[in-house]
Amino acid sequence: MTPRLPPDEKALITAAQTGDSRALDRLLRDHQARIHAVCRRITGNDADALDATQDAMIAVVRGLPRFDGRSRFSTWVYRIATNSCLDELRRRRRRPVVGLPEHDGVQMEIPADDGRGDRMADQVADRMLIDRGLAELAEEFRAAVVLRDLCQLDYAEISEVLGIPAGTVRSRIARGRAQLADRISGNREGTGQRPTSTP
């Protein structure tokens, strides 16, 4: 059964496919944040995520005339974004590592504590732990976990995005989550910076 597109999105896609530049711009704006979020989590750093996001947006524009509505538009976009990330990771392996692009002398300032400071610090630390843990996963596990837990795709959609059977999707998600949990708990114990408070 062909998935039904939201009326507004269907009209935008049709208009964009017939050359309406405003419709195309709106489609890209609607999906840019989601594409970047996927790319950020799969590539593991901002510089590669921006490159992958740009490549994905270009691929969406080039591929739009061939989009036939047999899958949800968001699923199609996630497939393109995931492929862009995997391409970027392959390129990364072929080039020398110069440093950590996320930390090129940039310091994050935490505002004065007004009751929200601790929560913000916890959120930043948690995100850094998750990002570090994801970066340590094999690419096939990382992509499956990100598509499920960040993008909220179901197993059938992830199967379509990655081009693998649904059973393999389940296995990769389970193994990826288990490895991620191990890495996060190991990082927390190793840093000694986030002790749990005793009641």
Side-chain angles (χ1 to χ4, degrees):
M1 181 178 176
T2 301
R4 298 183 69 179
L5 294 168
D8 289 345
E9 185 170 78
K10 185 174 182 180
L12 279 174
I13 292 167
T14 301
Q17 287 176 322
T18 57
D20 185 329
S21 59
R22 287 183 301 178
L24 177 61
D25 183 63
R26 169 76 185 280
L27 265 181
L28 293 176
R29 287 178 186 276
D30 286 352
H31 290 275
Q32 182 176 4
R34 281 182 258 183
I35 291 172
H36 183 263
V38 171
C39 293
R40 178 63 182 78
R41 283 294 168 89
I42 293 178
T43 62
N45 70 69
D46 290 328
D48 289 341
L50 288 172
D51 287 343
T53 299
Q54 183 176 0
D55 289 347
M57 300 281 273
I58 291 170
V60 166
V61 172
R62 288 178 175 165
L64 189 60
R66 296 186 302 277
F67 176 72
D68 57 12
R70 284 185 294 178
S71 63
R72 286 186 0 193
F73 187 72
S74 59
T75 303
W76 181 74
V77 168
Y78 283 138
R79 183 189 316 136
I80 290 173
T82 301
N83 287 336
S84 294
C85 291
L86 297 178
D87 288 345
E88 186 61 35
L89 290 173
R90 283 189 282 272
R91 284 193 292 270
R92 181 201 293 174
R93 283 197 295 268
R94 293 195 295 266
R95 62 182 184 249
V97 177
V98 181
L100 295 174
E102 301 167 85
H103 307 289
D104 288 339
V106 178
Q107 304 219 346
M108 181 177 293
E109 293 184 12
I110 303 295
D113 187 11
D114 59 357
R116 295 176 297 176
D118 287 342
R119 286 195 306 276
M120 184 182 296
D122 285 345
Q123 289 170 355
V124 169
D126 285 343
R127 176 174 171 172
M128 290 176 68
L129 282 173
I130 291 169
D131 285 351
R132 193 177 306 129
L134 282 169
E136 293 172 2
L137 296 182
E139 291 168 15
E140 62 267 23
F141 297 153
R142 190 187 319 165
V145 169
V146 167
L147 290 170
R148 178 65 182 150
D149 294 335
L150 176 68
C151 303
Q152 304 293 307
L153 298 188
D154 62 31
Y155 294 109
E157 290 171 317
I158 298 171
S159 172
E160 184 180 341
V161 167
L162 297 179
I164 57 176
T168 305
V169 168
R170 290 179 186 274
S171 172
R172 287 186 182 181
I173 290 171
R175 292 175 64 186
R177 283 174 174 169
Q179 290 181 20
L180 182 60
D182 286 345
R183 282 162 172 74
I184 289 173
S185 62
N187 283 333
R188 279 194 171 127
E189 291 167 8
T191 60
Q193 295 176 351
R194 307 261 332 273
T196 55
S197 56
T198 54

